[in-house]
Amino acid sequence: MSLPVTVVGTGAFAREHLLALRTVPEVEVRWVAGQDLARAEKLAALAPGARATTDIAGAVTDPAVEAVDVVNATPGHAPWTVAAGRAGKHVHVDKPAALSLPDLDAMVAATEGRGLTLMVGQTVRFQPVVTTLAAAAHAGQIGEPRLAHISWYTGHAWPGGWRSWQLDPALSGGHPVHNGTHIMDAATWLLGADPVEVFTRGFRTFSPDMESPDSFHVQVRAANGALATLELCYALRTRGDMLRRIVLVGTDGTLRHSTEDEPGLGSDAAKPGPLSIEGALARQLAHWVDVVRGRAEPVVRTGQVRAALAGALAAQRSLVTGRRVHVHDIDGYEREATAVAARRTEGA
């Protein structure tokens, strides 16, 4: 039985989603919806039978559609997720899920609150190396995780490789939110604890006049006392260059990985992606379908997404203020924490 899907978005990553959805036999893309019809038509051609439209509301609420993949610019995540949930659709939404915790809470209420599913595209969890490291850590192979050091360096064309909304913190949340949600989620997942305090420093490597820094470091203290150092850089000179290192130290051992240790050949003309991260998006979307169909428990849970988003929002605030930030000071954080505690008490 096919899963009829509407894809909301016509950008570069919407294209990646459509290509990945083609590898999931069960998925039938009915609509590609966005504000630019020409772009929508070009992307719809990637999915046999899909139609393009600028009537996003109509495509999201179409009775023939069962699920919606929201992969447009971040300011549109919350409105279209809420609209889809209210129309009875299961939702997959790209990261960062929202620009605020209240927006994320509204998205959860509109979907999970109605007995539907909501999956946020924390793609890093589906990269083979991170999946393997997390499984080992959660199985207790290194005891209790105490220290994490994650470094991600990427060659990217700043600012030419980014559209204006991505460079505007008011629209993207800032780099610690737009891309930093990935690395914050990885640390949260590997350490098995929510971030509670962060301190951020950023650097505009080659574009000093750009509003958003292309590189930043975040120091994180987690709820269990563990510490993490997170480095994210999108400023390597050659597009396609990549270096990723993960070190996770526990009370009984250490887990580590570096893309430098992976076999393979490369040149300036051909830079294949590391095997440790390849194919993550296809696995992610296939897992989403399994969750929608009730065949799998979600790897990405919205409570964990909320914790990572709160940490990323705190990192952006620290970047702007130059001060350490307590995550519980982020707007909406305590309200939901109190509600969760109340629900637990009622269920006791």
Side-chain angles (χ1 to χ4, degrees), residues 126-129 242 257 259 262-264 272-280 283:
F126 296 89
Q127 295 174 353
V129 63
M242 179 178 291
H257 175 269
T259 54
E262 294 186 34
L275 294 176
S276 58
I277 67 174
E278 282 292 281
R283 281 187 288 272

Side-chain angles (χ1 to χ4, degrees), residues 145-226:
R146 305 305 297 156
L147 296 169
H149 192 152
I150 305 177
S151 300
W152 290 354
Y153 287 81
T154 300
H156 207 289
W158 281 73
W162 293 77
R163 297 164 68 183
S164 60
W165 74 267
Q166 294 162 324
L167 295 171
D168 183 351
L171 299 177
S172 69
H175 198 191
V177 175
H178 181 59
N179 284 312
T181 302
H182 274 316
I183 200 167
M184 186 67 72
D185 179 70
T188 300
W189 200 36
L190 291 171
L191 290 172
D194 296 351
V196 297
E197 183 181 87
V198 304
F199 180 72
T200 310
R201 279 285 185 263
F203 192 66
R204 293 166 176 81
T205 314
F206 302 123
S207 302
D209 297 327
M210 192 167 59
E211 179 67 19
S212 184
D214 51 46
S215 304
F216 63 87
H217 290 185
V218 185
Q219 298 293 323
V220 181
R221 181 169 62 86
N224 62 357

Side-chain angles (χ1 to χ4, degrees), residues 1-6 28 30-31 51 55-68 83-84 86-90 293:
M1 181 178 178
S2 66
L3 179 71
V5 171
T6 286
E28 177 190 353
R30 293 285 184 91
W31 295 101
R51 289 176 288 174
D55 180 9
I56 304 176
V60 165
T61 60
D62 181 355
V65 166
E66 190 174 345
V68 176
R86 289 176 176 171
K89 317 299 183 184
H90 300 277
R293 291 301 191 209

Side-chain angles (χ1 to χ4, degrees), residues 292-307:
V292 169
R293 291 301 191 209
R295 296 191 294 256
E297 291 296 316
V299 168
V300 183
R301 297 182 180 275
T302 52
Q304 297 168 337
V305 168
R306 193 177 195 276

Side-chain angles (χ1 to χ4, degrees), residues 232-282:
L232 190 66
C233 170
Y234 271 59
L236 298 186
R237 274 296 194 182
T238 304
R239 189 178 183 92
D241 275 355
M242 179 178 291
L243 170 62
R244 293 194 175 186
R245 296 192 187 108
I246 300 175
V247 179
L248 186 64
V249 180
T251 52
D252 296 329
T254 301
L255 296 167
R256 63 172 64 86
H257 175 269
S258 174
T259 54
E260 294 174 301
D261 300 330
E262 294 186 34
L265 297 175
S267 68
D268 289 341
K271 294 183 180 296
L275 294 176
S276 58
I277 67 174
E278 282 292 281
L281 183 58

